[in-house]
Amino acid sequence: MNIEKTIENFKKNGYAVSLFDTATEAADYLNQSIDGKSVGFGGSVTLQDLGVFDTLSTHNTCYWHWPKSGKAMPEVIKAAAEADIYLTSVNALSENGEMVNIDGTGNRVASTLYGHEKVYFVVGTNKITEDLPSAIHRARNIASPLNAKRLGRKTPCAIKGDKCYDCDSPERICNGMVIHYKKMGSCDMEVVLVKEELGY
Ligand code: SF4
C-alpha cells in the first residue's frame, strides 16, 4: 500500500487530503475544523471508533441515527441529509484516487454526492487498495460481508463470512454502489486518512 501515491492522486482529483498517525489526532482535527455547524453522520464503524459524535456535539448540532437520540430514525436521517457538513467513511479507496461505497438504504451514499457545504471522508489506511477493480472487490467481498455480520443479517455472507454471494436475501444490505472517480462539483470534499486499522 502506497500512502504517498494515494495522497498525491486524491489531491490531483480535487480533494483536500489530511493524514494522521492516530485516530485520536484525526478526531482532534475534526473537532477543531468543524464549529457552529449542523453536522450529519453516515453509518460508520470508523466514525464510531473515532468517537467524534460526542465531542462535535458539544459545539455543533449533530445528527446520527446510530446513537439513541429519542427521535425517530427517519427524522434523524432527513436532518443529517440536510446538514451543512457530512461525515462518513468509505468501503475502499484506491491508490489512483477513487472511492467505492456500497449502501442498502441509500442515505449515506446520497450524501456523498450532493447537498452539503463539505463532506469529510474519514478512512483508515487499511482500506487502501491498488486500483479501482480491487477497491470494488474490497467493498463487495470484505466490507459488505463484515457489515452484514455486524448487523446480524440473515445473508450467506454474514453466515460464512468469506465473500459476497450476490444474494437475493430480503436482508441484503447491498442495493447501490457509488464510485467517486473524482471530487463531485457540488461541494468541498476532504479525505482524512488515518494510519490505523479502522472500520471494515
Ligand atoms: S449482496 Fe448479499 S451476500 Fe453479497 S455482501 Fe451484500 S448482503 Fe452479503
Side-chain angles (χ1 to χ4, degrees), residues 97-140:
E98 297 126 338
M99 292 188 282
V100 180
N101 247 337
I102 291 176
D103 205 354
T105 307
N107 60 302
R108 185 169 58 98
V109 294
S111 271
T112 66
L113 295 171
Y114 191 80
H116 306 280
E117 279 174 26
K118 183 164 181 174
V119 179
Y120 289 89
F121 298 93
V122 185
V123 197
T125 48
N126 54 304
K127 293 185 180 177
I128 296 176
T129 67
E130 197 182 341
D131 53 19
L132 183 56
S134 54
I136 293 170
H137 185 272
R138 183 185 198 285
R140 296 197 74 181

Side-chain angles (χ1 to χ4, degrees), residues 140 144-145 148 155-157 164-167 172-174:
R140 296 197 74 181
S144 295
T155 58
C157 65
C164 171
Y165 290 82
D166 196 12
C167 69
R172 175 176 169 130
I173 62 164
C174 313

Side-chain angles (χ1 to χ4, degrees), residues 19-75:
L19 175 68
F20 298 94
D21 286 331
T22 66
T24 307
E25 287 172 44
D28 287 346
Y29 170 70
L30 291 168
N31 202 30
Q32 284 161 22
S33 306
I34 305 167
D35 181 44
K37 300 283 188 183
S38 57
V39 186
F41 282 65
S44 161
V45 172
T46 297
L47 293 178
Q48 198 171 43
D49 289 351
L50 253 66
V52 277
F53 181 79
D54 288 341
T55 46
L56 282 174
S57 292
T58 62
H59 55 106
N60 296 274
T61 307
C62 296
Y63 301 101
W64 199 7
H65 57 291
W66 277 18
K68 287 187 178 66
S69 66
K71 288 184 183 155
M73 195 163 108
E75 203 181 301

Side-chain angles (χ1 to χ4, degrees), residues 102 139-149 153-159 163-169 171-175:
I102 291 176
R140 296 197 74 181
N141 293 286
I142 297 174
S144 295
L146 287 172
N147 275 318
K149 195 170 183 180
R153 297 297 174 97
K154 293 186 189 70
T155 58
C157 65
I159 294 159
K163 63 171 188 169
C164 171
Y165 290 82
D166 196 12
C167 69
D168 291 321
S169 164
E171 297 199 10
R172 175 176 169 130
I173 62 164
C174 313
N175 296 324

